[in-house]
Structures are given as structure tokens and as C-alpha cells.
Amino acid sequence: MKKKYQVLGLIILMICSIVYDFQKPDVQKEEMISLSYVILEGEFLKTGKYEFEGEKTIQDIIDEVGVSEQANLNSVKGDKIVEDESRLYIPPQQEHAISLNNACQEELMSLQGVGEKTALKIIDYRQQHPFETIEDIMNISGIGEKTYLRLREHLCL
């Protein structure tokens, strides 16, 4: 008697399983496209969030978005690959922009808030890693985002 109930229960379970499989909707795998983005600031014709697929260089983005006539293109290295979720700033042209890759200690110290020690850190950094964007200045200890935002209009590569 007990075996009959076990067999009957097993048959009912199999029937329920089959019915459930037929009622379950088909899940279609959608191909997810992974988009990267960068925040464009300064002299780009379109500022704000810019989404792109795959890898892009700074020059690719400049060609696609465009820049104003006042753009200081000496402040970026066009062949650098853009990092996902980063910022890209192109300042306006200025007569007295300070070159991060070429300025002497005195020129660097002429920037507001940059003293002797910070100028030496900038020089030491560029000897090991030439600046590819002006945002790279934030890789130097003691220079954070606030300092970068204050200095960026006065810098070029």
C-alpha cells in the first residue's frame, strides 16, 4: 500500500514537472553591448557624458565631437586611449600656458598654489612618466581634484 502511494506521488510529480516546463516562457539570451563613457569638459562642442563602444583615442573623440576654435589641442596627446569613466578636458588657448612636460621649476612655481616641493614632484614625475593629458597631474601626491580644477586652464603638455 505504501509503495502505491510512493509510485503515485512520483507520477504526479513528473506530470507537474512536465506541465511546468511547457508553461515556462523561453528565455532568450540578449547580446549585451558594453558601452564605455567619458565626461567631456572645456572646449568640446558637446560637453557632458559621451558614450562609446570599444576603444577610442582622444583624437577619435575630438574628430567625432569636435572642438571650438579656441581649443588648446597642445593640452592633450591625441593617440592616448581614453579610459572608461574618466574626464577629458581641453582648455582654451592662452598665451602663457605652462607646459607640464617642459616647464622649469620656476615656471611651475608661478602657478597659484604650487610651491617648490610640488614643482619638484612634477619634474620628478615627468622624468619617469611624461604627461599624456593634463589630468595626469592628479597622479602627483598633494594634487587632488580641487587643485587640478583650479590649475587646468593654465596648463598644457
Side-chain angles (χ1 to χ4, degrees), residues 12 15-16 26 39 44 46 53-55 59 64 72 75 86 90 98 103-104 107 118 138-139 146 152 154:
I12 292 173
I15 292 171
C16 289
D26 289 336
I39 304 297
F44 283 100
K46 175 189 169 212
E53 192 177 327
E55 268 189 3
Q59 189 61 50
E64 289 178 26
N72 182 358
S75 67
S86 63
I90 297 182
I98 305 293
C104 66
E107 289 175 313
T118 304
M138 290 188 290
N139 295 335
K146 286 183 182 179
R152 70 183 184 180
H154 307 287

Side-chain angles (χ1 to χ4, degrees), residues 8-107:
L8 186 61
L10 184 61
I11 292 172
I12 292 173
L13 186 62
M14 286 184 358
I15 292 171
C16 289
S17 175
I18 291 170
V19 169
Y20 177 76
D21 281 344
F22 283 119
Q23 291 179 350
K24 191 167 72 173
D26 289 336
V27 177
Q28 295 178 353
K29 293 184 180 180
E30 295 181 20
E31 209 173 294
M32 297 294 285
I33 297 174
S34 176
L35 290 178
S36 300
Y37 76 90
V38 64
I39 304 297
L40 303 179
E41 299 175 320
E43 296 301 314
F44 283 100
L45 293 180
K46 175 189 169 212
T47 57
K49 188 175 183 179
Y50 172 78
E51 293 184 332
F52 59 95
E53 192 177 327
E55 268 189 3
K56 295 247 186 207
T57 63
I58 294 173
Q59 189 61 50
D60 293 337
I61 293 176
I62 289 172
D63 292 342
E64 289 178 26
V65 175
V67 293
S68 72
E69 292 179 13
Q70 297 86 10
N72 182 358
L73 295 178
N74 292 327
S75 67
V76 294
K77 188 175 178 185
D79 60 350
K80 181 178 184 200
I81 298 201
V82 176
E83 295 179 26
D84 187 26
E85 300 180 14
S86 63
R87 289 180 180 220
L88 187 55
Y89 174 74
I90 297 182
Q93 291 180 4
Q94 292 194 8
E95 289 183 33
H96 303 292
I98 305 293
S99 170
L100 289 173
N101 285 323
N102 300 312
C104 66
Q105 181 178 354
E106 290 78 26
E107 289 175 313

Side-chain angles (χ1 to χ4, degrees), residues 101 122-132 136 139:
N101 285 323
I122 292 170
I123 292 169
D124 288 341
Y125 178 88
R126 75 178 181 210
Q127 288 173 348
Q128 296 173 5
H129 313 280
F131 289 93
E132 294 182 344
D136 289 345
N139 295 335

